[in-house]
Amino acid sequence: MASASPDLSHLEPADLESLRQALEDLRMEIRTFRPEKLPTPPRFEPPDWPALFERLRGYVGHLGMDERSLPDDDFGLDLQFLARLEPMLDFLQTHYWRVRVEGLEQIPLSAPCVFVANRSGLIPYDGLMLAHVLSGVGDAESRVRFLVSDSVANQPFLQGWLARVGAVRACRENAERLLDSGFSIITFPEGDGGASKSFRDRYTLVRFSRDAAVLTALERQVPLVPVGLVGAEETHPLLARVPPPQSLGGLPFLPVTPTFPLFGALGALPLPARWVIRFGQAWSSGELEVEGDDEVALMRVHAEIRERVQALVRAAVKTRGPAWR
Amino acid sequence: MSRPRCIALAGFDSKWGPSLHERLLGWESGPRVLRLDSVPPGEAGENEELLPIDWRDPDSDRELIDAFTKNSVDVLVHRGSPGFPTPREEADPEFESGRIRTLLKAAEQSGLRRLVLGSSTLLYGALPDNPNFLTESHPLRGHPHARWMEARIEAEQCVHDFAQEHPETEVTVLRSGWSLGPRTRTPISRFFSQASVPTCLGYDPLLQFIHEEDLLSVYEKAIGESHPGTFNIVARGVLPLSTLLALAGKKRWPLPAVMLERWPGSWPWGKAPDAPSTFYDFLRYLWVAAGEAGWSEFGEPGYTSREAWISFVSAERMNDYRR
């Protein structure tokens, strides 16, 4: 688009001359312009990659250290990690599973004791929740440890995590060391048999096998506290058991639940069933009159403990009512 | 028994031998040291004599008996094979069996007063059914596919048999954990010196160590004083592998166990020196030893496992800085 020439007829000849001069000066300035007079643009400097990598590596290397305890626990318990987990466990206890705790006042606080509970589900939520409930009773340093069976203790991805939250592999040596160190223990004498109960038999306890913690408690005259735990069965209702593939060595079975394997890894999340944890009367092993390795007497003691836990489970089922409301 | 006057050291490498010898030189009695090695380890130090021995030679026992008698050897210290499989001949099971038999024969013939065997807590084996703490009474189960471990277990058994048959000789067996420190250079320290350490995916076992100075002190006491029996020599405290690596600012390369078992070292980031497939079970399952018996016998170690690790890592960082 051509622009129209400005009308300069109204200007005085002197003004016109000065305008012409100004235009001429501008033209000269443009002609004599030297680009090097412009401020030099900043040059692109490649970053110091090795230093950057080192910084990043240091940062990544220390990730997760914030949540690790400085005092080293012999069994791998990490109190700092647990403290960070506390809000989640509180949420599960109060809002998600709405755990009702009964008979807590019967627990002997003066000395370590062995809590004998019923077992359900492949993932040991029951042990974790029971330990969490009991954590409010004693001091944090002597947090109650829960025993887990071999099939769970050495599962990849669970092994390290379980140790950090206070789980210990169930065996005689560990039970002895824990009790000798003054820790109370939660044990599940049903073992894998309890975890593999079908949904129909969820409130019926299987036979108690020779339990490492119970035997140690009998030997060391440590009080036994029966615990009936109801609700964990419904967090993962076991519909069927599938033999595990060879690569998942150690797992006793592969569970089929309403959510697993249908939703993959998400199926491991527990359902929001209502829980009741009922503590029974503690009794001293001295009352049981077991001598040495008297097999019959030991079987009788295990049967007696089983009966007590079974009675607590029945009572807890009645107290709780429907699982899902 | 008074302080020994002549001590024979077998199976000590070029770092450990001089370190122990240095400590022994500090004794008032000024004992003589006879170093028995298949390869002469440099020049003899003060009060030291080097005796090259071909352990595979059937006549080596005669040579050894002569040397023991001539020098009036009081104490024999055998460090045993390295606590890690290496391409060196010490890892050969035949070699280890032959060597221990030769040494025991010489000990028997020369009327030795004290025998100290350096063993390892590795021999308990890293197995899924191990308790959290393995006491000295726990059987040595090793690893089903590690012949080098079988040989060491057999060697320890030979020494226990010898102790029963020869009550006149005090026998001390020291089962030590992985030793770390600023000076230690072992396949284990090289493995953990890597900037990126391959680990087993999904596993985070608890590990324990013993500081090199504490281990040397225990050896010194076992040589100079009477401590018959078998002892685990470990530091107090255990740490998860992930914490150890995070403390050192090292990256982890978690690889599936099956991959590490079948192709150890075949991955550029997993080029662990000498790491065989059998090694990775020790980064997978528990094999922590109970040290109470050792602590009450030889005294409290100066360093915890965490401190031993930090001492090693600090020395590594200093070395990087010097480079």
Side-chain angles (χ1 to χ4, degrees):
Chain A
M1 189 173 73
S3 60
S5 301
D7 181 15
L8 304 175
S9 55
H10 62 282
L11 290 176
E12 293 294 322
D15 293 340
L16 203 58
E17 186 55 33
S18 62
L19 182 62
R20 190 175 291 117
Q21 191 56 46
L23 278 172
E24 191 58 33
D25 290 348
L26 183 63
R27 198 174 289 126
M28 281 303 290
E29 196 177 329
I30 291 170
R31 274 186 196 151
T32 56
F33 171 73
R34 290 186 179 176
E36 62 267 22
K37 283 184 181 173
L38 277 174
T40 47
R43 280 187 184 174
F44 173 74
E45 286 189 15
D48 184 0
W49 290 114
L52 202 64
F53 179 74
E54 274 305 306
R55 275 176 57 197
L56 191 67
R57 195 169 70 84
Y59 174 73
V60 172
H62 284 89
L63 268 184
M65 278 308 291
D66 298 341
E67 58 181 35
R68 282 169 198 270
S69 300
L70 192 59
D72 303 321
D73 180 82
D74 276 354
F75 290 87
L77 174 78
D78 192 331
L79 285 174
Q80 208 164 330
F81 177 67
L82 264 177
R84 289 168 75 100
L85 211 62
E86 205 85 352
M88 166 64 88
L89 293 172
D90 284 341
F91 166 77
L92 286 173
Q93 183 188 347
T94 317
H95 301 291
Y96 197 70
W97 288 326
R98 296 148 288 163
V99 182
R100 180 171 166 172
V101 183
E102 297 170 349
L104 203 60
E105 68 284 351
Q106 304 187 63
I107 298 171
L109 292 171
S110 53
C113 52
V114 173
F115 297 92
V116 188
N118 54 312
R119 175 87 184 86
S120 56
L122 205 56
I123 303 173
Y125 290 118
D126 42 9
L128 183 63
M129 189 42 65
L130 204 46
H132 178 64
V133 166
L134 289 166
S135 68
V137 179
D139 60 314
E141 291 293 326
S142 58
R143 190 184 168 90
V144 179
R145 312 301 170 100
F146 60 102
L147 302 184
V148 289
S149 63
D150 285 359
S151 57
V152 178
N154 286 303
Q155 282 307 312
F157 303 104
L158 269 183
Q159 183 213 46
W161 189 85
L162 282 173
R164 290 178 77 187
V165 297
V168 179
R169 186 184 154 256
C171 67
R172 189 70 183 262
E173 294 91 334
N174 286 348
E176 285 173 359
R177 200 174 175 97
L178 282 167
L179 286 178
D180 290 348
S181 310
F183 294 108
S184 292
I185 311 175
I186 300 165
T187 184
F188 302 93
E190 287 181 282
D192 287 339
S196 60
K197 275 183 291 194
S198 68
F199 191 63
R200 194 174 49 188
D201 301 325
R202 61 192 180 280
Y203 303 132
T204 310
L205 273 64
V206 300
R207 185 176 163 272
F208 279 14
S209 53
R210 280 173 65 100
D211 186 74
V214 170
L215 293 174
T216 313
L218 292 173
E219 233 177 54
R220 284 166 167 65
Q221 306 272 307
V222 169
L224 291 159
V225 180
V227 185
L229 201 148
V230 166
E233 300 86 353
E234 283 91 0
T235 58
H236 284 295
L238 186 67
L239 304 178
R241 294 187 298 267
V242 177
Q246 191 71 28
S247 56
L248 293 174
L251 266 187
F253 61 91
L254 210 57
V256 177
T257 70
T259 53
F260 185 83
L262 190 64
F263 299 123
L266 282 177
L269 292 175
L271 297 175
R274 192 184 284 273
W275 285 33
V276 172
I277 299 175
R278 196 182 181 107
F279 293 92
Q281 186 74 45
W283 91 97
S284 163
S285 45
E287 301 163 24
L288 296 164
E289 294 173 9
V290 183
E291 282 183 16
D293 287 337
D294 185 348
E295 281 296 323
V296 180
L298 285 174
M299 278 172 66
R300 186 168 49 79
V301 169
H302 277 85
E304 167 73 21
I305 299 168
R306 185 189 166 279
E307 276 310 307
R308 291 193 185 208
V309 177
Q310 181 70 74
L312 289 167
V313 168
R314 282 198 201 105
V317 172
K318 275 186 191 166
T319 317
R320 183 191 62 174
W324 307 103
R325 273 196 295 169
Chain B
M1 172 180 155
S2 56
R3 287 268 185 178
R5 290 190 177 173
C6 185
I7 300 155
L9 303 182
F12 281 80
D13 59 24
S14 55
K15 294 252 183 234
W16 268 87
S19 301
L20 186 61
H21 182 212
E22 199 178 303
R23 281 180 171 251
L24 300 178
L25 280 177
W27 290 5
E28 279 181 18
S29 57
R32 290 190 64 239
V33 171
L34 192 63
R35 294 273 304 278
L36 316 171
D37 271 293
S38 41
V39 183
E43 289 181 10
E46 189 188 342
N47 270 3
E48 189 180 42
E49 188 183 330
L50 303 180
L51 185 64
I53 297 270
D54 180 2
W55 299 105
R56 293 183 192 276
D57 180 1
D59 290 333
S60 59
D61 52 348
R62 204 170 304 145
E63 196 182 339
L64 211 56
I65 293 164
D66 288 346
F68 277 22
T69 317
K70 191 180 119 197
N71 291 286
S72 309
V73 172
D74 299 308
V75 182
L76 167 65
V77 190
H78 177 40
R79 180 101 204 281
S81 303
F84 197 90
T86 74
R88 285 154 52 189
E89 64 174 349
E90 283 91 334
D92 179 6
E94 313 280 319
F95 176 86
E96 180 59 30
S97 306
R99 180 162 67 168
I100 195 73
R101 288 204 166 82
T102 308
L103 284 168
L104 291 179
K105 196 170 176 186
E108 187 182 18
Q109 300 281 322
S110 61
L112 199 76
R113 291 156 69 190
R114 188 173 293 154
L115 170 64
V116 179
L117 174 73
S119 186
S120 171
T121 54
L122 280 172
L123 303 189
Y124 290 119
L127 296 149
D129 60 348
N130 274 347
N132 276 54
F133 288 90
L134 298 151
T135 57
E136 286 81 356
S137 59
H138 202 271
L140 301 177
R141 296 191 288 172
H143 190 286
H145 305 300
R147 285 186 66 229
W148 64 276
M149 270 197 204
E150 275 174 39
R152 291 200 67 180
I153 293 169
E154 196 187 315
E156 206 185 303
Q157 191 53 51
C158 287
V159 170
H160 287 307
D161 293 345
F162 177 87
Q164 284 194 334
E165 289 162 15
H166 301 88
E168 71 281 5
T169 307
E170 283 175 6
V171 176
T172 308
V173 177
L174 305 174
R175 291 180 189 152
S176 60
W178 279 340
S179 71
L180 284 181
R183 287 189 293 178
T184 304
R185 289 290 170 272
T186 60
I188 290 301
S189 68
R190 286 206 298 279
F191 178 79
F192 285 121
S193 296
Q194 301 173 103
S196 309
V197 179
T199 59
C200 284
L201 180 69
Y203 292 93
D204 191 14
L206 298 167
L207 294 176
Q208 67 182 167
F209 302 101
I210 175 81
H211 194 275
E212 58 189 19
E213 290 299 326
D214 287 331
L215 188 53
L216 277 171
S217 297
V218 169
Y219 267 99
E220 193 186 346
K221 283 179 186 164
I223 293 168
E225 302 159 8
S226 172
H227 298 283
T230 302
F231 306 98
N232 290 333
I233 306 300
V234 290
R236 279 193 186 272
V238 291
L239 287 118
L241 176 62
S242 59
T243 303
L244 290 169
L245 298 181
L247 272 174
K250 290 178 187 294
K251 270 193 295 184
R252 278 191 287 169
W253 289 111
L255 299 170
V258 65
M259 196 181 276
L260 290 164
E261 278 165 11
R262 295 199 182 160
W263 307 289
S266 61
W267 300 85
W269 54 80
K271 226 169 185 177
D274 312 330
S277 58
T278 54
F279 167 70
Y280 285 98
D281 271 357
F282 293 91
L283 301 181
R284 198 171 167 193
Y285 300 121
L286 281 173
W287 57 285
V288 174
E292 282 84 358
W295 301 330
S296 70
E297 189 75 20
F298 298 101
E300 278 292 315
Y303 295 79
T304 62
S305 288
R306 181 186 281 264
E307 287 163 353
W309 174 259
I310 289 174
S311 142
F312 158 70
V313 169
S314 311
E316 279 298 310
R317 283 189 182 148
M318 193 57 82
N319 286 341
D320 288 347
Y321 177 73
R322 281 182 188 139
R323 278 186 219 125

